Amino acid sequence: MLTNAAKPVHHARFMGQVTLAVFLLTASVANCFAEDKLAQATVITPPDGGRDVLSFGPSQTVEFESQNVVAAAKWIDTKGLPFAKAYGIDSDTRFTDPDNMRLHIPINGSVRKGDVVLISFWIRRPGAGGQPNNAYLFVDAKPGVTSYQYSLSAYREWTQHVRSFVATDDFDSSDSCLRIQLGEAGEVVQIADLRLVNYGAGYDIATLPRSTIMYEGRNKDAAWRKKALVRIEEIRKGDIAITVVDAGGRPVPNATVHVAMQQHAFGFGNAVNSEVLGAVESDFPINPKKKISVSWVEAQKYRQIVKKYFDRVTFESEFRPHNWKMLQSNTESWRRKNRIFVENTIPWLLDNNIAVRGHYIGWAPMDFNSVEKEFVGNPDGHRAWLWEHMADVLPATADYVTEWDTINHIIGWGSHTYEKEYGGPQIYAEIMAEARRLAPQASHAINEGKVLPDGYKREPYKEIIRFLNDNGQAPDIVGFMGHFGLTSLTPPEELLKVYDEFAEIAPRLQLSEFDVEAGDDEELQADYYRDVMIASFSHPNFVAIIQWGFWEKMHWKPAAALWREDWTLKPSGQAFVDLVASQWWTDETSETDIAGKCRVRGFFGEYEITAEKDGASKMVHVTATSDGTVVQIQIP
């Protein structure tokens, strides 16, 4: 975080030169990487005909500046890589304003307006977790004039970024530079083999290489996808048999029958912000996330999308123990939040038949939770606190919360998880039992990450599920945090195998926090998003897919959003709408035969079915289920 007292600006200058190694990422990425290893890749060479207009190495000028953080930069040696040196930056701050750490590299070659320029570099954050952090690159023709800007995700593995652009200005030979903002990228960032290659005017930019991921199973005719689509037809749809009769019970032939789906039986949900969803017009503009400002017009669009596409929501923060306590306080800002939440947001959701999920009761990694960290070494005190919280929140929300993430991050990480503090996993069974006693009407789920992406928690997660099963507290739903990133795009066929393994011990599965972050590669994001949706929807044990955001302005990882800030659909958003509201949606018109019958095969869910003949009509509400759906409609 930013400190209040600004520290002196630090300058460091280094000189050097390295060679180019442009690559195209072409394989699914391994779960773990040793030091000085690449994400699986094929190294390629850019086409001939360009000239380097930038030098980056220990013998050339590189300027690093930092402010408001303590940071230093130096050249380091690498092993077994396409480059011998990397430029490493170390700071005392994990996340601060982007401009608080910045790199300036002079552009020493000529670039004219209209020239086609390729940029290539490698970047990593060694020691970081799976969550990517943002870096921002600017190619400045002169001070205050940026010809090209590229926002990227920096992961823990060496990953190369290759992009091209057309220069929008003549570059000033003395003041043009490449500038990288690294304040959000983390405590340790390394950059290598940075090149800027000018191919001149008239060059076909489409022929230049561009880095992307080709995960296994992405190809259009992938066998796994064909099988999954067939399976969807088999397990998610059924026949709706309709008979139309007149007032005397006689069949009505040639009646028009409109079968209009209203809601899926399968759950499609999302994480939402309660203020954006519930605040009244006079409350706007609001600032739901620090510096983010949301207008009344934007909130109306936000609500429209929630109402149209989602049948359940998870609040990002309202039910977290510390926030729940603040909602009950007399602090003016929290009283306002509570007013909006209770008087507006919850009624709006209930009026629109949108279910509410509670996130969360318990959160196992105590080291990283400011409230529960206080109880490290004091399990009796922690138990008293947690039981008091459950006694407060669960009865208070019983009228509207239908499902709880009762234990979130149940495997967790760090030195002080619930299991370690209490001396065993029995505490998890006790939490489940108490939560069920206090909220018997709700489903109680467990939730964990690094099971689908990365995968190293798969076996520990199975072990805790078996433990809960054996101790009479089997979770009603087992949730997967599917936060997929550029270097953790698990092949869909592997996902299906993992689903099968968990289905043996957990009959009801769901994606509880789903998103796909692929930097600026929107086609990759869309393809992988589509494939995870298809794989999950095709599995018979899956009951829901719940995403963790949809709008770029409010998304915790903006590049993972489906709708841009201006509400235009990204390719991933188009994939979502096409699947959920078109391919997996039933809206058909049929006609009865001589016996007054017709049959429509539709997705399971809620329907309005209307029969009409000679101006007389009747509409009925019907639930289509796997047990079979038989409907008789009497036209007056």
Side-chain angles (χ1 to χ4, degrees), residues 122-335:
W122 300 72
I123 188 170
R124 74 166 180 169
R125 296 165 52 238
Q131 166 64 22
N133 278 9
N134 299 321
Y136 306 91
L137 183 146
F138 306 85
V139 180
D140 293 338
K142 52 188 173 184
V145 178
T146 298
S147 188
Y148 176 70
Q149 178 177 343
Y150 174 48
S151 299
L152 59 128
S153 299
Y155 291 81
R156 65 175 177 263
E157 301 88 16
W158 277 117
T159 306
Q160 189 171 16
H161 296 258
V162 182
R163 293 292 184 270
S164 300
F165 64 94
V166 177
T168 57
D169 298 273
D170 291 340
F171 282 31
D172 188 302
S173 59
S174 60
D175 285 329
S176 60
C177 74
L178 190 147
R179 175 169 50 95
I180 308 176
Q181 294 182 341
L182 297 166
E184 291 182 359
E187 294 171 301
V188 181
V189 186
Q190 296 171 358
I191 299 173
D193 209 8
L194 173 63
R195 288 189 66 187
L196 202 64
V197 185
N198 186 0
Y199 286 88
Y203 196 93
D204 185 358
I205 194 171
T207 64
L208 291 175
R210 176 184 171 93
S211 56
T212 189
I213 293 283
M214 289 300 293
Y215 60 86
E216 185 178 351
R218 185 183 181 185
N219 49 303
K220 291 183 179 180
D221 59 348
W224 77 266
R225 193 183 303 111
K226 292 178 181 178
K227 294 176 182 178
L229 293 173
V230 170
R231 198 161 52 247
I232 287 170
E233 286 291 317
E234 294 172 347
I235 70 171
R236 300 296 178 192
K237 298 177 76 173
D239 288 339
I240 304 172
I242 304 156
T243 302
V244 181
V245 298
D246 61 18
R250 295 176 294 271
V252 178
N254 305 120
T256 300
V257 178
H258 182 203
V259 179
M261 194 173 188
Q262 302 299 303
Q263 190 175 69
H264 283 279
F266 189 90
F268 293 102
N270 217 309
V272 297
N273 182 276
S274 67
E275 290 183 87
V276 179
L277 211 55
V280 298
E281 185 172 3
S282 60
D283 289 322
F284 287 85
I286 61 172
N287 300 93
K289 288 189 175 185
K290 297 181 180 178
K291 298 179 181 179
I292 295 172
S293 178
V294 176
S295 70
W296 172 246
V297 172
E298 290 173 324
Q300 295 308 293
K301 183 66 175 179
Y302 188 92
R303 297 171 195 187
Q304 177 187 341
I305 289 173
V306 171
K307 181 178 178 179
K308 184 173 183 178
Y309 294 111
F310 305 113
D311 70 344
R312 62 199 65 192
V313 297
T314 305
F315 290 112
E316 294 174 301
S317 62
E318 277 73 13
F319 292 128
R320 301 185 185 203
H322 57 294
N323 285 337
W324 175 259
K325 184 176 181 179
M326 292 304 297
L327 283 171
Q328 318 311 313
S329 72
N330 288 321
T331 305
E332 184 177 351
S333 62
W334 283 97
R335 286 174 57 194

Side-chain angles (χ1 to χ4, degrees), residues 236 266-267 312 357 403 444-447 451-452 461-462 465 469 475-481 495-513 535-546:
R236 300 296 178 192
F266 189 90
R312 62 199 65 192
R357 301 183 69 254
E403 178 185 322
H444 291 272
I446 61 173
N447 199 22
V451 177
L452 304 181
Y461 202 27
K462 292 176 191 174
I465 293 168
N469 291 350
D476 297 319
I477 300 172
V478 166
F480 303 111
M481 298 179 192
L495 292 180
L496 288 166
K497 291 178 181 178
V498 174
Y499 296 165
D500 285 343
E501 293 171 6
F502 276 87
E504 293 178 1
I505 55 175
R508 301 176 74 220
L509 308 174
Q510 71 180 10
L511 285 176
S512 50
E513 301 181 18
S536 302
F537 193 57
S538 78
H539 197 279
N541 291 77
F542 255 73
V543 297
I545 297 172
I546 299 148

Side-chain angles (χ1 to χ4, degrees), residues 417-485:
T417 63
Y418 287 4
E419 183 172 351
K420 293 175 182 177
E421 286 293 296
Y422 284 84
Q426 185 61 35
I427 182 60
Y428 297 132
E430 294 171 1
I431 293 171
M432 294 292 284
E434 181 67 2
R436 283 181 164 132
R437 184 184 73 82
L438 292 167
Q441 83 294 340
S443 297
H444 291 272
I446 61 173
N447 199 22
E448 189 51 89
K450 307 301 180 185
V451 177
L452 304 181
D454 298 312
Y456 63 87
K457 290 186 180 178
R458 290 174 189 172
E459 294 309 315
Y461 202 27
K462 292 176 191 174
E463 289 179 15
I464 200 65
I465 293 168
R466 293 188 186 102
F467 175 85
L468 291 172
N469 291 350
D470 293 343
N471 283 268
Q473 293 298 329
D476 297 319
I477 300 172
V478 166
F480 303 111
M481 298 179 192
H483 298 301
F484 297 95

Side-chain angles (χ1 to χ4, degrees), residues 4-23:
N4 292 327
K7 298 182 176 69
V9 175
H10 167 73
H11 296 269
R13 294 181 182 272
F14 300 90
M15 314 292 286
Q17 185 174 13
V18 292
T19 58
L20 176 65
V22 176
F23 81 112

